[in-house]
Amino acid sequence: MSNALLELVNIEAGYGVFRVLHNVSFKVCEGEVVALVGPNGAGKTTALKTVMGLTSLFKGDIKFNGSKINNVPPYERVKQGIVLVPEGRGIFAPLTVLENLYVGAYNEEARRRLSESLEMVFSIFPKLKERKNQIAGTLSGGESQMLAIGRALMSRPRILLLDEPSLGLAPKIVSELFEIFKKLNEEWKTTLLLVEQHVKNSLEISHRAYVMESGRIVLEGESSEVLKDERLRKAYLII
Ligand SMILES: Nc1ncnc2c1ncn2[C@@H]1O[C@H](COP(=O)(O)OP(=O)(O)OP(=O)(O)O)[C@@H](O)[C@H]1O
Ligand SMILES: [Mg+2]
């Protein structure tokens, strides 16, 4: 396997003086889909925020593309290509779908590749093309999520961090979304770090996975192997 694009080494991090993550290590290689799964309150969002530089970092190292980024401010990390689609989406409701996508292409490189990126986003999400002139605030839950991801893709991220993209969506839309993640990775070579509570779906489409509980990584490996783990199957009622 190739070298890590993103790597967290023995991370202790949290909020203020409160530690949430305990000795957390994980990596994502270029071209991989890595799933980070675990129950509510395990520290999954905190792990993503730590990658972005939005938590207190007490110990350990965060490396991106071979360099330590512990002290790199969040906006610089975004500039380097680390892009987070946060829980709850956060699209601009009064703007149209197309305007929202344009907003995503804010950096110079992204602006240069705007039409190519738009074509890519529309090929992955044909629904957004159909609805490009619709006001974003009137989209369905699934469509809003697609727009949030589409907007993030417009900035041409080197790694896309997705925080529970399927939250609150109907089962049919959830399966659709997971298929899209697979396609995004296979056809467009997008590197993904996927935080999810849909454990089975996540393990089925990812290459490797980490299971987090109470701020610690308790299980890790090839997703197909993790999926066979008896404790995991019991804990998440996978039959
Ligand atoms: N801003 C904050 N300040 C203080 N504590 C926080 C903050 N955000 C989260 N926490 C605490 O950190 C712990 C981990 O929360 P986190 O949001 O990372 O979990 P999670 O795995 O993403 O859960 P969920 O599946 O519910 O989204 C929880 O105990 C939570 O209460
Ligand atoms: Mg969370």
Side-chain angles (χ1 to χ4, degrees), residues 47-227:
L48 293 187
K49 283 188 180 167
T50 300
V51 172
M52 298 311 299
L54 300 168
T55 57
S56 312
L57 181 62
F58 304 110
K59 216 181 120 230
D61 284 326
I62 308 170
K63 296 181 199 162
F64 184 65
N65 209 17
S67 305
K68 206 159 110 172
I69 58 164
N70 293 22
N71 298 314
V72 173
Y75 69 88
E76 264 304 325
R77 299 188 196 196
V78 176
K79 237 174 157 180
Q80 288 184 23
I82 311 175
V83 175
L84 168 68
V85 180
E87 214 178 317
R89 290 139 210 182
I91 52 176
F92 299 108
L95 302 187
T96 66
V97 166
L98 198 57
E99 285 163 345
N100 265 279
L101 292 176
Y102 283 152
V103 171
Y106 46 81
N107 66 52
E108 209 175 303
E109 162 78 355
R111 277 202 302 273
R112 209 173 46 73
R113 301 172 73 177
L114 192 101
S115 54
E116 172 198 317
S117 305
L118 204 56
E119 203 177 302
M120 166 179 86
V121 169
F122 284 158
S123 86
I124 298 164
F125 302 112
K127 270 192 194 144
L128 293 183
K129 189 173 187 179
E130 284 166 30
R131 296 172 181 275
K132 65 179 181 202
N133 297 316
Q134 188 169 327
I135 298 296
T138 64
L139 294 173
S140 72
E143 290 160 357
S144 308
Q145 184 57 59
M146 289 172 192
L147 180 55
I149 298 167
R151 190 180 60 190
L153 288 172
M154 292 296 290
S155 71
R156 308 302 294 228
R158 293 205 55 192
I159 181 168
L160 192 59
L161 317 178
L162 299 169
D163 195 358
E164 301 212 26
S166 70
L167 195 73
L169 302 180
K172 184 174 163 283
I173 312 287
V174 172
S175 322
E176 231 176 80
L177 205 56
F178 276 97
E179 281 311 308
I180 285 169
F181 296 150
K182 211 170 152 196
K183 186 169 158 190
L184 194 56
N185 175 255
E186 284 172 3
E187 290 180 22
W188 295 93
K189 312 290 169 223
T190 309
T191 304
L192 295 177
L193 175 56
L194 176 64
V195 159
E196 262 295 341
Q197 284 200 46
H198 283 97
V199 175
K200 189 164 177 275
N201 289 299
S202 310
L203 293 177
E204 281 169 356
I205 64 134
S206 56
H207 300 106
R208 290 186 307 108
Y210 295 87
V211 182
M212 192 177 238
E213 273 171 28
S214 310
R216 296 173 199 278
I217 303 288
V218 294
L219 184 64
E220 63 178 274
E222 302 271 328
S223 299
S224 52
E225 292 301 315
V226 174
L227 196 51

Side-chain angles (χ1 to χ4, degrees), residues 15 18 20 39-46 87 164 197:
Y15 304 94
F18 180 59
V20 172
N40 288 123
K44 305 180 299 295
T45 298
T46 305
E87 214 178 317
E164 301 212 26
Q197 284 200 46

